Amino acid sequence: MSATRTAPPISRAADRGRPRSFEQANRRLKWTMLAPALAFVGLMIVFPLAFTLNLSLTDAFGAVNAGKGYVGPQNFADALTDSRRFWPAVERTALFTVGAVLIETVLGLALAMLMRKPFRGIRWVRTVLVIPLLTTPVAVGILWLLILDPTNGIANHLLSSVGIPPQEFLGSVTQSLPILMLIDVWQWTPMMTLLLLAGLSTLPEEPEEAAHVDGAGLWQRFRYVVLPMLVPTLATAVVLRSIDALKTFDILYATKGPGGGSSFEVETLNVYAYGLTFDYQEYGLASAVLVLFTLAIIGVVALLRRRPGRGSA
């Protein structure tokens, strides 16, 4: 009777170094391929934030690389106690963002619902709709400056033709911010429309058809069927547009110049930080303002991304 041969034992070290499965090997390869890109992106994010945070703790003035001393949180205290420029800029930033995004969301949802069903000429409508998105904000600002010019602008000529007295528009301290909000609405409502239209195209038709069979009207179907299903897309669109509106700078600077106007009437936090940096060269204080602004943006995003019904622990 011959002895049965057994396979030589595999060492634990060799077994440990061998992938347990194809999925594990694939996962390792994925992270190996992604590592350089992730490291690069992380460096591009972390380094500017760390540099700005470090600069915010100094009294840097005149030049970034000039001699500077650490003053701790003094710049943050100076900014938070500045009731002349900082807090009015915070108020204008919030007002501009909330007002513009609210109007854009309502108009975008209305246009998306109108274009949800195909109709004759819908391709031309969509083409015209995206034209404002293809224009740079600076060009948009110059365009509306010409349209709203108090003397030679076409807007006052149209108002005069219907008996309305000429307006100062962007030359007015009280009208400038609302006018710029409407300009922002004109440019970015198409983006909200396209995002919400894409969301509507993914919704199933059966629930709405069932509600229609049950006798629900057009508004009831929208309110109780379409809108609840569209909430995830709507929330994402609002978050994206809110972040973009908070960062608005170029159109404000192109239309009103340094300081957001002679009376700082449209000076948001972006314009304020830009002025501190390039007009007054107060790099430490400007960095502190930008750090506070970044924290505010993170807080707004976290607030907007909270799911309905999730209570606090």
Side-chain angles (χ1 to χ4, degrees):
M1 184 175 181
S2 58
T4 304
R5 293 186 178 181
T6 59
I10 301 176
S11 64
R12 293 184 178 180
D15 184 64
R16 193 181 302 115
R18 183 175 301 171
R20 295 181 179 178
S21 64
F22 174 78
E23 290 77 10
Q24 184 177 1
N26 191 33
R27 191 180 304 113
R28 288 180 180 177
L29 179 62
K30 177 184 68 175
W31 285 111
T32 301
M33 300 295 290
L34 286 175
L38 292 176
F40 177 78
V41 173
L43 181 63
M44 292 298 101
I45 294 175
V46 172
F47 175 74
L49 290 177
F51 181 81
T52 303
L53 181 60
N54 176 71
L55 202 61
S56 68
L57 301 175
T58 69
D59 58 356
F61 178 82
V64 176
N65 57 356
K68 53 183 177 291
Y70 282 90
V71 295
Q74 184 60 45
N75 289 322
F76 294 94
D78 292 341
L80 294 174
T81 55
D82 181 10
S83 59
R84 177 174 175 267
R85 298 281 296 275
F86 178 79
W87 287 110
V90 171
E91 182 181 351
R92 295 186 201 98
T93 304
L95 182 61
F96 179 88
T97 301
V98 173
V101 173
L102 180 61
I103 298 174
E104 289 161 9
T105 302
V106 173
L107 292 180
L109 182 57
L111 291 173
M113 291 297 296
L114 289 175
M115 294 190 297
R116 185 185 183 189
K117 303 296 183 181
F119 57 87
R120 190 174 183 179
I122 188 172
R123 292 184 178 179
W124 290 103
V125 173
R126 290 182 178 179
T127 301
V128 172
L129 189 68
V130 300
I131 289 178
L133 294 177
L134 303 178
T135 311
T136 61
V138 173
V140 170
I142 295 175
L143 170 66
W144 283 99
L145 271 177
L146 297 175
I147 294 175
L148 300 175
D149 184 84
T151 305
N152 301 315
I154 190 175
N156 271 333
H157 287 289
L158 293 176
L159 292 178
S160 299
S161 65
V162 293
I164 300 177
Q167 303 294 317
E168 295 183 9
F169 295 119
L170 293 173
S172 169
V173 173
T174 57
Q175 294 179 4
S176 293
L177 190 61
I179 290 295
L180 285 168
M181 288 169 55
L182 294 178
I183 294 175
D184 189 84
V185 168
W186 176 83
Q187 183 175 20
W188 294 109
T189 294
M191 188 192 79
M192 295 292 291
T193 301
L194 295 177
L195 290 174
L196 296 177
L197 190 60
L200 287 171
S201 65
T202 64
L203 299 183
E205 297 181 358
E206 289 78 7
E208 191 174 359
E209 292 174 354
H212 181 64
V213 171
D214 290 340
L218 185 63
W219 169 252
Q220 291 175 321
R221 295 199 302 272
F222 169 75
R223 171 66 180 84
Y224 297 105
V225 180
V226 176
L227 191 57
M229 292 191 297
L230 192 63
V231 165
T233 303
L234 188 62
T236 301
V238 169
V239 169
L240 293 175
R241 185 65 201 112
S242 297
I243 296 173
D244 203 31
L246 282 169
K247 299 186 299 181
T248 301
F249 169 80
D250 32 20
I251 194 171
L252 302 176
Y253 197 85
T255 53
K256 299 297 293 185
S262 57
S263 301
F264 314 115
E265 57 266 24
V266 299
E267 185 181 60
T268 60
L269 282 175
N270 276 322
V271 178
Y272 177 49
Y274 180 90
L276 288 174
T277 304
F278 296 101
D279 295 335
Y280 302 103
Q281 298 182 339
E282 296 186 19
Y283 299 108
L285 182 58
S287 299
V289 171
L290 290 174
V291 170
L292 293 172
F293 191 30
T294 302
L295 294 176
I297 292 177
I298 294 174
V300 169
V301 172
L303 181 64
L304 292 176
R305 291 299 296 172
R306 288 189 62 184
R307 295 178 182 177
R310 179 184 293 180
S312 58

